[in-house]
């Protein structure tokens, strides 16, 4: 077996498309909406996804924060926790972690070397697993080798044919708030989108979700009835105190504290709390102290994250209508009556009009840049859309100095529009 180094492994993945399988002579080798190639690769490798205990998380917004909260709780309980979550901001190693520690370059290369011969065998049969299918399979082998007590798997997009949906029935399935996103793939109605996301529900699991739009709830209730699994809704927690240094909130008479800001984060924390309680009912030794400490210790960069004070600079990766709505709500909560300076970069396939309609009423002025992604919206076009809403927009040059955008200590600069923008921006600090 050839031993690939880390650079060789990364080079292989960087040449693969993100949202579709490779093509041979311009002809798709397999339907994009199929897990057949991944299942074939898993079979060749002895089905390493079998034998683990899982929590599966799907939804439109809040998945990453909910996974971070739950992982923190489980670590506090003394468990060895594998986590698969996407997308990554800086490098592939972020995709799979154990107790919040990323896989090493050496282990990443070793796992790739282990999988590549099976991939090559399938290629001779015109079967080509996609980038995320291969990475997901690598995570299963890694978690199995490392004897994880439990694995938290976050859906990348959708659910029914997401690369994570090859696992057996998880102990708990979490469905975070479902809204409009990736409509060209998932569907144009909430019913269609919810149907794709509910595709992770399997007989033998327990489903936990916040109260959703009625269209979404009906889909979830129908799926759970069909699979004969329990469905539990939880009510929003009650905020007690908020500041730019953290939040306190109440869940069922118990007070919790979190360092994460954003009005929506206490809902994500509550989701993780109910998940931890359900796991405790299923035999895991998770105490109320573990839950409280886990919530308090959770860190999650890129969701209403304050990266500088005086003046305040805030980064938020929200990139759809629901993300824009909760971002506006948080800005209004923490900076009441203050007009915001925005630095925006948005992907062209997002609901740009709806995002701008949500944010521009609280905008003082906007700076516009491209997102480091081929799907980026042309900055000049985005600026025109902003100015049509009565807000001044300035297109930035590629190497713009961030410190020049917000010099007045009374200003608030919010950098938003895309998770891909976060990577580019944080390198400037």
């Amino acid at each position: 077996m050839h031993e690939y180094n880390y650079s060789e492994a990364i080079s292989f993945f960087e040449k693969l498309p993100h949202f579709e399988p490779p093509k041979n002579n311009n002809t798709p080798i397999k339907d994009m909406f199929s897990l057949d190639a991944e299942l074939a690769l898993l079979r060749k490798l002895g089905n390493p996804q079998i034998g683990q205990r899982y929590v599966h998380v799907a939804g439109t917004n809040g998945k990453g924060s909910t996974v971070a909260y739950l992982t923190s709780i489980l670590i506090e309980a003394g468990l060895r926790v594998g986590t698969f979550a996407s997308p990554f901001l800086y490098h592939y190693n972020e995709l799979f972690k154990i107790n919040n520690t990323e896989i090493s370059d050496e282990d990443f290369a070793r796992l790739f070397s282990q999988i590549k011969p099976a991939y090559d065998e399938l290629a001779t049969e015109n079967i080509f697993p996609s980038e995320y299918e291969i990475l997901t399979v690598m995570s299963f082998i890694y978690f199995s080798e490392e004897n994880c007590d439990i694995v938290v798997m976050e859906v990348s997009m959708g659910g029914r044919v997401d690369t994570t949906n090859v696992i057996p029935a998880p102990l708990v399935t979490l469905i975070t708030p479902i809204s409009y996103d990736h409509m060209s793939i998932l569907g144009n109605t909430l019913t269609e989108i919810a149907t794709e996301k509910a595709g992770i529900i399997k007989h033998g699991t327990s489903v936990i979700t916040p109260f959703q739009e009625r269209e979404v709830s009906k889909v979830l209730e129908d799926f759970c009835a069909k699979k004969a699994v329990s469905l539990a809704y939880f009510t929003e927690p009650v905020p007690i105190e908020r500041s730019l240094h953290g939040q306190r909130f109440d869940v069922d008479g118990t007070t919790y504290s979190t360092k994460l800001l954003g009005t929506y984060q206490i809902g994500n924390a509550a989701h993780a709390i109910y998940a931890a309680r359900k796991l405790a009912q299923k035999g895991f030794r998770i105490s109320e102290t573990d839950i409280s400490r886990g919530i308090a210790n959770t860190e999650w960069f890129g969701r209403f994250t304050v990266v500088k004070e005086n003046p305040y600079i805030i980064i938020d990766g929200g990139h759809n209508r629901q993300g824009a709505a909760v971002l506006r709500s948080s800005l209004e909560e923490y900076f009441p009556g203050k007009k915001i300076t925005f630095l925006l970069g948005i992907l062209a396939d997002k609901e740009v009009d709806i995002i701008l309609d949500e944010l521009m009423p609280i905008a003082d002025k906007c700076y516009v840049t491209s997102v480091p992604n081929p799907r980026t919206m042309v900055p000049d076009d985005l600026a025109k859309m902003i100015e049509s809403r009565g807000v001044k927009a300035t297109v930035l040059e590629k190497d713009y100095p961030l410190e020049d955008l917000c010099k007045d200590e009374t200003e608030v600069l919010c950098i938003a529009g895309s998770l891909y923008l976060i990577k580019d921006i944080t390198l400037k600090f």
Side-chain angles (χ1 to χ4, degrees), residues 272-306:
I273 289 167
Y274 284 106
R277 291 175 179 175
K278 176 59 72 173
L279 289 171
Q281 292 173 9
K282 295 194 173 203
F284 287 85
R285 297 184 65 177
I286 303 170
S287 70
E288 183 54 46
T289 299
D290 297 328
I291 294 174
S292 182
R293 287 177 177 171
I295 295 297
N297 292 335
T298 300
E299 297 182 354
W300 188 242
F301 185 83
R303 299 295 190 184
F304 208 85
T305 302
V306 175

Side-chain angles (χ1 to χ4, degrees), residues 236-251:
E236 283 295 305
V238 179
I240 298 173
E241 181 183 11
R242 282 195 176 108
S243 75
L244 286 164
H245 300 288
Q247 305 184 72
R248 293 172 62 240
F249 60 97
D250 177 276
V251 174

Side-chain angles (χ1 to χ4, degrees), residues 5-11 13-14 81-112 131-132 135-136 138-139 142-143 300 423:
N5 62 37
Y6 181 75
S7 295
E8 291 171 330
I10 296 303
S11 177
F13 286 114
E14 287 178 340
V81 187
T83 309
F84 183 85
S86 61
F88 62 87
L89 292 182
Y90 303 104
H91 47 260
Y92 282 87
N93 307 54
E94 298 168 43
L95 292 172
F96 29 109
K97 306 175 183 179
I98 293 178
N99 284 17
N100 282 334
T101 299
E102 298 172 7
I103 186 172
S104 68
D105 291 356
E106 294 74 19
D107 280 338
F108 190 98
R110 178 181 57 78
L111 289 174
F112 177 75
E131 176 196 33
Y132 265 62
L135 290 162
T136 305
M138 285 172 60
S139 79
Y142 185 54
F143 297 144
W300 188 242
K423 173 183 177 180

Side-chain angles (χ1 to χ4, degrees), residues 47-54 148 168:
N47 287 315
Q49 79 279 21
I50 304 298
Q52 302 277 354
R53 295 185 292 182
Y54 295 98
C148 290

